[in-house]
Each structure stands twice: as C-alpha cells, then as structure tokens.
C-alpha cells in the first residue's frame, strides 16, 4: 500500500497557496529549439548556466514556485560553484521533481498515434532519483486529435501506461504527476476538443482506479480546453475556463487534491488569464494551479540570450511571470498588472 503520510506531505508542499510548478524538464531536442530561437548553442554548460540562474532567482523561487520538474541531465548536474542543482531548489524552499518518461514512439497498429515509453527499469530509476532528492515525478502521455483521431485504443494504451507509472511512483514514496495532454492544433472545433478531453480524463481515472493508485497522493496535469485563439478576448477566456471546469467536474474525483495545468504553448498572458478565470468560478473540490514551462520561461530566455551580463534582467522577467501566475492561482490577477510591468 502507498505510504500516504509521506505522499500527502509532498503534495501539500507542491500545492501551497499562491505557488505552482516550474517545468524545467525540456528534452535535449526541445531545449535546443528554445536556445536556437535566442541564438544560444545548446551545450551541457549553457543548459546548466540557464537553469542555474533560474534556480538562483531568490524571489520567484521562494515566493511563487513550489516545485521544479527536472530533466535527467539536470538532476545530476552541479552548479558552477559545485553545488548540486537540486540543492539550490531545496534551499529556495521548493521540491525537486523529475520527468521519468522516455518520450513518445509510434503506437504499433495505430497510424498517426503514439505511446509514451519508459516503464522498463522505472523502479530502479525512481530509487536513484529519490536518493538524489526527487520527491515527485512526471509522465506525459500525448493524445493527437485529427480526422478520426484519437482512437479509443490509443487513449486506453496511454492511460494504462500513466496508471502503471503512477502506481510505481507511489510504491517508491514519490508523488506522481499524471499528464494526459490532448494536442488540439489539428481540430478547430472547440466542442470536439472538450469531448475528447473529457473522454481522455475519464479513461485515465478508470485506469488509475484499476491500478490501485491512491488519488489522494497524486496531482493531475491536464490540458485546458482551448479556443483557436486562446486569450484573444474576455469572452474567449471565459469560454475556455467554463469548458475546462465543466470537463474537470465531470471526470476528476474530489479525492484528487490538486490540478496543475500545462500551458500547452499558449501565449504567456493567456495561460495566466485562463488560470485566473477558473479560480474565480467559485469553490472547487481541488486546488487549481500552474505547471508551466514556456509560459514561465520564454521572456526570461529572451532577456538572457546566453549572456552573463543579462542574468539579472532575465531573473526579473522570470520573477514577473511567476508572480502573475501566483496571483492567477488565487484568482487575483488582472491585465492591468501585465501592462504595468
């Protein structure tokens, strides 16, 4: 049986009021693309320097960030002065976490669909990650929408993998973040986006139940039900919030303590606005917060541009975005706060 007191203690830290997660778990390919956009070579040293200045950003890390999701390379790296990067995170009062999936591959027999790999050897890797300091983990399942997609078979296969991952995490006293992400770019019909997201979450929780995952000791990381132009105006923002909360109410048991949304490539302020709108919708059975990557980091990356002289300015940009999302997690954000920055 899962050690619920240990899991609950970590969950409480991760869901601290006014805080959310920094998703700094970009794969080698993803971080290279982000660095290419700012003219920085992606090397072990530049990746370390970039993440080090984020983790040394005192105000946002201590006030607005509850946990940091790391990539395998990062969890083993030391800062420029020899301090393990995980120690920088814990010194700021945040919890280190780790992405444990190995990415997606084509799902045999299902044209155009994928499955996430990484279950082989996961138990041993979890032990090593926990010894290094990780107290939670993340696994991302990718559900593609297109003509005739997703199929029930692909949804179920990914949900089963998510559930096995979650059960293994809890057996090793690590909180699982369960991330079923529906990719919506190929289908502009928001009603279908809502329908597919609902079915994916229903299937995921059925598999979590079958694998005896303790819902009280996990966090859900879903996509929002987005319009084609997210955050375009107040009507669109409210539509996203209402559809997303409607799906959550229909599928996510109240035993789940918290939901930390992924930003899904939204513009920074749009991701903030949608989270804020949902938190203004009245009492909900779960904490709603953020687990953002690009929506927390893009402006900081641009300000940094690989130059040590730009670190202070980049840390300021990171602090601003973290503060905006902290306010949104409380339902206290306004657009005026963005424009006043």
């Amino acid at each position: 049986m899962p050690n619920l007191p240990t899991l609950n203690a970590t969950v409480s830290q991760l869901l601290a009021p006014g805080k959310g997660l920094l998703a700094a778990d970009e794969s080698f390919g993803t971080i290279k693309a982000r660095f290419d956009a700012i003219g920085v070579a992606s090397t072990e040293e530049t990746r370390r320097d970039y993440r080090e200045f984020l983790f040394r950003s005192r105000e946002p890390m201590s006030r607005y960030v509850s946990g940091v999701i790391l990539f395998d390379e990062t969890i083993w790296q030391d800062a420029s002065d020899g301090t393990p990067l995980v120690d920088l995170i814990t010194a700021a009062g945040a919890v280190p976490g780790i992405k444990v999936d190995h990415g997606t591959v084509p799902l045999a027999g299902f044209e155009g669909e994928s499955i996430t790999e990484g279950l082989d050897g996961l138990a041993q890797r979890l032990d090593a990650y926990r010894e290094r300091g990780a107290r939670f983990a993340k696994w991302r399942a990718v559900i593609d929408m297109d003509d005739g997609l997703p199929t029930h078979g692909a949804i179920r296969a990914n949900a089963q993998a998510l559930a096995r991952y979650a059960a293994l995490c809890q057996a090793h006293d690590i909180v699982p973040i369960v991330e079923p992400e529906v990719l919506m770019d190929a289908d502009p019909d928001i009603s279908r986006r809502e329908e597919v997201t609902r079915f994916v979450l229903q299937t995921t929780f059925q598999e979590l139940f079958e694998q005896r995952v303790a819902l009280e000791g996990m966090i859900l990381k879903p996509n929002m039900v987005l319009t084609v132009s997210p955050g375009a105006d107040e009507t669109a923002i409210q539509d996203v919030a209402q559809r997303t909360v409607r799906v959550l109410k229909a599928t996510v048991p109240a035993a789940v303590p918290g939901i930390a949304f992924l930003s899904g490539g939204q513009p920074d302020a749009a991701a903030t606005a949608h989270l804020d709108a949902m938190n203004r919708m009245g009492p909900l059975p779960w904490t709603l917060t953020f687990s953002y990557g690009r929506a927390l980091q893009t402006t900081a990356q641009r300000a940094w541009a690989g130059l040590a002289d730009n670190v202070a300015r980049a840390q300021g940009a990171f602090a601003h975005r973290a503060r905006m999302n902290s306010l949104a997690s409380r339902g206290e954000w306004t657009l005026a706060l963005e424009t006043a920055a």
Side-chain angles (χ1 to χ4, degrees), residues 63-295:
R63 296 183 63 182
Y64 311 127
V65 174
S66 60
V68 181
I69 309 172
L70 301 171
F71 187 57
D72 180 78
E73 176 189 60
T74 316
I75 198 170
W76 304 112
Q77 281 182 317
D78 293 337
S80 54
D81 64 359
T83 304
L85 291 181
V86 290
D87 289 354
L88 297 183
I89 294 168
T90 55
V95 183
I98 180 69
K99 172 185 175 180
V100 296
D101 69 72
H102 287 164
T104 62
V105 296
L107 179 60
F110 293 80
E111 185 175 354
E113 297 185 281
S114 62
I115 185 75
T116 301
E117 293 189 323
L119 289 175
D120 289 348
L122 179 56
Q124 292 74 27
R125 286 186 285 127
L126 288 171
D127 282 338
Y129 289 140
R130 182 167 177 82
E131 185 175 352
R132 182 65 172 177
R135 292 297 178 265
F136 71 99
K138 190 202 82 166
W139 178 291
R140 175 177 178 251
V142 179
I143 308 297
D144 292 288
M145 285 185 64
D146 207 339
D147 291 340
L149 301 181
T151 63
H152 291 187
I155 292 171
R156 188 175 181 194
N158 276 285
Q160 287 175 334
L162 276 169
R164 284 306 308 143
Y165 139 82
L168 281 167
C169 284
Q170 290 188 340
H172 291 261
D173 293 342
I174 288 178
V175 170
I177 291 186
V178 174
E179 181 179 356
E181 179 179 5
V182 179
L183 301 182
M184 303 181 176
D185 295 343
D187 195 324
D189 184 349
I190 192 169
S191 294
R192 186 163 185 268
R193 294 178 177 195
E194 181 178 349
E195 176 187 4
V196 170
T197 300
R198 179 189 296 247
F199 186 77
V200 167
L201 289 176
Q202 285 174 335
T203 306
T204 298
F205 278 100
Q206 179 61 39
E207 294 298 333
L208 290 168
F209 173 79
E210 296 287 352
Q211 296 302 321
R212 302 182 180 182
V213 173
L215 301 186
E216 305 94 322
M218 62 160 278
I219 293 173
L220 178 69
K221 181 174 179 177
N223 56 277
M224 301 177 193
V225 180
L226 297 175
T227 59
V228 175
S229 300
D233 56 46
E234 184 60 28
T235 299
I237 290 169
Q238 293 302 318
D239 191 26
V240 168
Q242 290 168 5
R243 289 177 183 271
T244 302
V245 169
R246 183 162 62 211
V247 165
L248 297 175
K249 285 182 174 180
T251 59
V252 182
V256 175
I259 297 170
F261 289 100
L262 58 91
S263 53
Q266 299 176 65
D268 295 353
T272 305
H274 290 141
L275 177 61
D276 179 76
M278 284 185 273
N279 275 304
R280 291 177 184 265
M281 293 182 66
L284 295 170
W286 339 267
T287 296
L288 301 186
T289 189
F290 57 92
S291 179
Y292 291 168
R294 273 176 288 184

